[in-house]
Amino acid sequence: NWQLVIENFSVLNEIAPNFQGARSLLREAHISYGNELLQAQESCLAKEQFGAAQKIAVDSKTEEQLSEAEKQCVDSTNR
């Protein structure tokens, strides 16, 4: 359950951001949940997760995932 993982790592990141890479693990959870949402064709929700990951740390792969989710979200709302 990625939502629960994200919730728990968010709390841990607030309390102890340097605890065993909590920030990095939170970012990875956002990316994994975003990928799961894309596979379920929930692109608008996936966009939020990739955006949250990018706020933690920017990289080109996640930027591409965010762009793809944004495109799919716009396409799905224009149908």
Side-chain angles (χ1 to χ4, degrees):
N1 183 334
W2 287 115
Q3 290 172 311
L4 182 59
V5 171
I6 290 168
E7 186 177 311
N8 289 335
F9 278 130
S10 293
V11 170
L12 181 59
N13 190 52
E14 287 178 28
I15 297 169
N18 296 320
F19 180 77
Q20 297 185 3
R23 189 170 170 83
S24 176
L25 293 170
L26 174 59
R27 183 177 184 280
E28 288 302 315
H30 280 297
I31 293 168
S32 294
Y33 188 34
N35 285 326
E36 186 177 285
L37 289 166
L38 269 183
Q39 289 178 350
Q41 298 186 1
E42 295 286 349
S43 55
C44 296
L45 295 174
K47 176 183 76 165
E48 294 174 14
Q49 296 305 314
F50 294 128
Q54 285 291 87
K55 287 180 183 177
I56 295 170
V58 176
D59 72 43
S60 60
K61 182 178 179 187
T62 308
E63 183 63 37
E64 289 173 17
Q65 291 169 307
L66 176 59
S67 294
E68 182 60 28
E70 287 173 338
K71 180 184 177 297
Q72 288 182 24
C73 180
V74 168
D75 290 348
S76 71
T77 56
N78 287 335
R79 290 183 200 166

